Amino acid sequence: MKTITFDQKKTSSIALEFDELITDNIYSWTEEDFAAYKVPVGNSRFPITDYFDITVEGEAESPAEVKMILNGDCNRVKYIGCKMSAGEVVVNGDADLHVGAEMSGGVVTVFGNVAAHAGREMKGGKLEIMGNTKEFCGASYIGEWRGMSGGEIIIHGNAGKQCGECLVGGKIHVLGDCDILAGIHMTKGTIEIDGNVNRWPGGQMKNGNIVIHGKVGRLLEGFVEQGIVTDPELDGIVYPGRYIEYKGDIALNGKGTLIIDAEKNRDRLSTWIEEDDEYNAIREYRAQ
Amino acid sequence: MEYILKNGIVYDPANEVNGEKMDICFKDGKIVEDVSADAEVLDVTDKIVMPAGVDPHAHVAGPKLVVGRLYRPEDERRGVAQKTKVTRAEAGFSIPSCPTTGYRYSRMGYGTVCEAAMPPLEAKHTHEEINTIPNIDINPLPLFGNNWFVMEYARENRIDDLAAFIAAMLRVSKGYGVKIVNPCGSEAWGWGMNVHGYDDKAPYFDVTSREVVRALAKANEQLGLPHSIHIHPNDLGHPGNVPTTIATLDSIKDIAKSTKASAGVRDQTIHCTHAQFHSYTGNSWKDAASGAEEVADFINKNPYVTCDVGQVTFDETTTMTADAPMEYDLFKISGLKWANKDIECETAAGIIPCIYSPKTPVSTLQWAIGLELFLHIENPWQVCLTTDHPNAGPFIRYPKIISWLMSAEKRMSMIDNGEVHKWASKRTGLAGLEREYDFYEIATISRAAPARIHGFQDRGALTPGYNADIAVYDINPNDFDPSKDPEGVEKAFSNAYYTIKDGQIVVKDGDIVSTKQSHTIWTNVIGYEEEEKQIIDSIMPFFTQYYSVKWENYQVHDHYVPNPTRVDVEAK
């Protein structure tokens, strides 16, 4: 096992680009190799040692045997873990754009907040973010219609706009709140949101699942209510509780599943179905 | 500056040089018979020397490229390369940036490319893009097949007026020849319709595709333009389109080729572009099959017809064509993002991404039909190498196509190993074709034939006096079997050992070592000035009323074409 530790010496107002410093490329590097390496900064390159003290301990014969630790404020370091296929990356601080983008294996953990495009077009592996993310987490590149296709993203904080845009596989779990248009254009995979959702989850989704345990601000008209479901099972996972199930987005003849917590969204039921006893049934269920 | 390419093995079909070991000399940008003892010697011993490539049909500059680039940023990140001391940064795969386009053609040993669809209204912009593409000369073809004035002249059979209109528009747009795309169909698209078949009428114009094509062919030959009409027939990409294709080609049979010197280089009176897309039998994709043999048979029997293939290359690409209704059909099939562009009173365009996968039946059928056309057409002077870039695949795949053409073993292994869908063997005759191209035939379909078809009298051959546009490839054909080593063929043709453009070495060992300003090749018709003036005067009321630009802003002024190669045509 090899541990490569980057201790930050100074920050840069222009972002450093770390897409070459991934486990797949640096598993055999020595401290001398790092000392000779120049990192892209804007349209120039500067020695990586200007920004980080780098310590290498142990040996590795493959990327899977590498643990890369970044200590410091990396909110101007882009592409951490981008396109990596194995190994582990730990960021003890914030991170900039494209953390774990296009990664196909390994684990990236960020103990801070990350900027947009975290886990963009991820194919495999695990990305865990202890703080918040900004827009397009697990989404596609701009213009692309195929986003994250595999692996898992766990966000302990809140997620920004268009989380899981164009999702075609894998799972995104947001433990906090989520901004507008989560799962827009998604065709497969699952997005689970423990907190509240601002507006319009699943816009133009064709398939896949969105599970929302919190309150939903506004739903698009393309989602058709299917009724109340209890302990629904989606792709082999049971979500305990009572939920309102929707299918959509019918604007695109979509067959996606959107389930939202029935208790927290009871106003939606009372508005739509005033005459039946669904609301009372939910209250009774909760009281049990 | 004088140079001598020493001891190369030369393939120059226009001069019937087939693999002879010889020296090629050039001086001050031109091929010459001999040079002085001071000439710089470029040792190309046992390497292939050919004229630089000529692409007879591609889409490399113009408004639809811009739309494509704008709405496909995801394509731009494919093929990114950092700038060097010589080149600018490269980006893009199916719709590369303008400089990237020039660099990539150069690396393959190409020197001239035909931009196959220039709306006259957007000609200024097209020329601006051409000016930013280095290392390749470009001849843009203005679109005529759905122009309102053209349709009126065709309906009333006013060939003289049409000839004057063409002459005027070539001058106004700085264009090279007559391009026709889905005649009457793109106009019908303005009404949400299309034409199906050669004798359908454009709505409100009471004119058929047949009448438009025949009128344009007659006017083209009356002027004696260097290139024939260049047609994308109706019903592109629709199963069962073979009768339309053959009817289109057959309808020109009685129109004699011009006897003028300017038209003397070419043999054909009609050039059918991306014939692969026009060679399907069946009634729907359920029963579609190859019509390549039928189309090829027609071409074999009719020397007045030439074609380029539009070979599918199994890539994710971007389709873009002035056949806007076809693009809408494609959108309905694929559901991918679609852009539409209407060019007032002239044409339209559609753009949509397309994924050609060897695992899907339709893509495989298209791939096999393209190769069948190459292999069934007996005379290589009647067929050209194209992918209709970027519609069937990006031009950087030409070397791969060459490797397929030179190796029946490779083709069969793709079919037998399940690398391609079984429709290749079940619905086409590709598996039964053992023909393999040799280097002489490759030089013909990628250099000599396209140059002759376009009527070039300064390129496409290593004739003394011609431009010193030369490509050298690192293959010794005497100890190399292309049928056994398709990867070697692809590698060599992807990275020219030398590419020489107008006597300047622009590529060495596959790397760009210098860049050169492109030339814009356009046709200047002489002798029709009075008729042109009359015809412009006659259309001016309509133009002023319906066009959104003034005539003064419509014209491509000389400063838009800073590096012209003007082809003068004595039309009278």
Side-chain angles (χ1 to χ4, degrees), chain B residues 234-476:
Chain B
N234 304 111
D235 286 341
L236 178 143
H238 293 139
N241 59 14
V242 168
T244 302
T245 307
I246 290 181
T248 305
L249 302 178
D250 191 54
S251 69
I252 306 300
K253 199 172 217 164
D254 62 326
I255 298 173
K257 188 171 87 73
S258 172
T259 54
K260 297 187 172 69
S262 51
V265 176
R266 62 177 160 92
D267 298 319
Q268 87 283 3
T269 50
I270 185 168
H271 178 80
C272 176
T273 190
H274 37 68
Q276 175 270 128
F277 287 120
H278 303 276
S279 302
Y280 308 151
T281 61
N283 297 305
S284 72
W285 286 116
K286 287 180 181 172
D287 65 349
S290 172
E293 199 168 351
E294 200 177 336
V295 172
D297 186 51
F298 184 89
I299 294 172
N300 287 336
K301 290 174 180 166
N302 293 284
Y304 69 87
V305 180
T306 58
C307 74
D308 61 79
V309 168
Q311 175 64 40
V312 163
T313 61
F314 295 136
D315 284 292
E316 180 185 316
T317 188
T318 312
T319 62
M320 48 181 65
T321 172
D323 192 344
M326 188 285 298
E327 290 286 39
Y328 180 69
D329 292 345
L330 197 55
F331 162 67
K332 297 298 282 183
I333 292 170
S334 74
L336 298 178
K337 53 186 177 180
W338 164 63
N340 185 71
K341 193 167 168 61
D342 184 65
I343 312 291
E344 53 197 78
C345 306
E346 291 181 356
T347 182
I351 303 111
I352 184 168
C354 187
I355 302 168
Y356 294 103
S357 166
K359 301 298 179 193
T360 59
V362 172
S363 300
T364 303
L365 182 69
Q366 294 174 314
W367 169 80
I369 289 171
L371 292 176
E372 274 193 292
L373 283 168
F374 276 119
L375 300 170
H376 277 305
I377 294 173
E378 291 159 4
N379 181 0
W381 290 92
Q382 284 181 275
V383 60
C384 302
L385 171 61
T386 65
T387 59
D388 184 21
H389 165 83
N391 288 305
F395 64 80
I396 53 172
R397 296 292 189 234
Y398 289 174
K400 186 181 280 289
I401 299 169
I402 291 172
S403 75
W404 290 333
L405 294 175
M406 299 188 88
S407 175
E409 192 176 305
K410 173 66 179 171
R411 299 192 299 263
M412 282 311 299
S413 75
M414 290 175 76
I415 294 170
D416 293 341
N417 299 339
E419 203 176 317
V420 295
H421 192 272
K422 59 190 176 189
W423 274 24
S425 52
K426 289 193 168 182
R427 300 202 180 193
T428 78
L430 181 63
L433 295 173
E434 294 178 353
R435 181 181 171 190
E436 291 177 336
Y437 274 57
D438 58 24
F439 288 114
Y440 188 71
E441 290 172 311
I442 293 296
T444 307
I445 64 169
S446 60
R447 284 125 168 99
R452 180 182 288 183
I453 288 165
H454 276 274
F456 294 138
Q457 300 189 45
D458 59 355
R459 64 195 72 214
L462 301 175
T463 309
Y466 273 37
N467 295 343
D469 291 1
I470 308 166
V472 181
Y473 300 104
D474 193 5
I475 298 178
N476 180 356

Side-chain angles (χ1 to χ4, degrees), chain A residues 45 102 120-121 141-146, chain B residues 72-74 77 82 316 336-337 353 355:
Chain A
R45 282 178 179 263
E102 298 179 60
R120 168 180 58 77
E121 295 174 354
Y141 187 75
I142 296 164
E144 177 62 69
W145 62 90
R146 294 153 296 197
Chain B
R72 288 210 69 195
E74 77 277 13
R77 64 184 171 151
Q82 289 189 336
E316 180 185 316
L336 298 178
K337 53 186 177 180
I355 302 168

Side-chain angles (χ1 to χ4, degrees), chain A residues 24-179:
Chain A
D24 299 66
N25 296 338
I26 64 171
Y27 69 89
S28 61
W29 285 23
T30 62
E31 288 182 4
E32 290 72 32
D33 293 327
F34 284 108
Y37 176 74
K38 292 184 176 180
V39 64
V41 183
N43 62 2
S44 305
R45 282 178 179 263
F46 294 99
I48 183 73
T49 49
D50 287 359
Y51 301 95
F52 291 95
D53 283 326
I54 300 168
T55 314
V56 178
E57 294 170 323
E59 295 293 327
E61 293 187 352
S62 71
E65 297 171 20
V66 176
K67 182 175 183 179
M68 193 173 151
I69 302 171
L70 286 85
N71 296 321
D73 178 9
C74 295
N75 70 9
R76 295 306 283 149
V77 180
K78 298 197 290 190
Y79 300 109
I80 296 170
C82 177
K83 296 184 182 175
M84 68 183 270
S85 66
E88 187 178 354
V89 177
V90 176
V91 183
N92 292 311
D94 295 344
D96 204 352
L97 299 160
H98 303 292
V99 175
E102 298 179 60
M103 66 186 280
S104 56
V107 179
V108 177
T109 309
V110 183
F111 289 92
N113 300 322
V114 301
H117 292 290
R120 168 180 58 77
E121 295 174 354
M122 197 169 146
K123 298 176 182 69
K126 183 179 177 183
L127 169 62
E128 189 160 9
I129 298 159
M130 297 305 174
N132 303 322
T133 70
K134 288 192 176 173
E135 303 83 8
F136 300 111
C137 178
S140 63
Y141 187 75
I142 296 164
E144 177 62 69
W145 62 90
R146 294 153 296 197
M148 174 181 173
S149 57
E152 185 179 15
I153 300 176
I154 301 172
I155 303 154
H156 290 261
N158 302 324
K161 297 180 179 70
Q162 298 189 226
C163 175
E165 181 223 29
C166 295
L167 191 74
V168 292
K171 182 174 182 182
I172 300 175
H173 189 173
V174 183
L175 277 70
D177 296 339
C178 205
D179 207 335

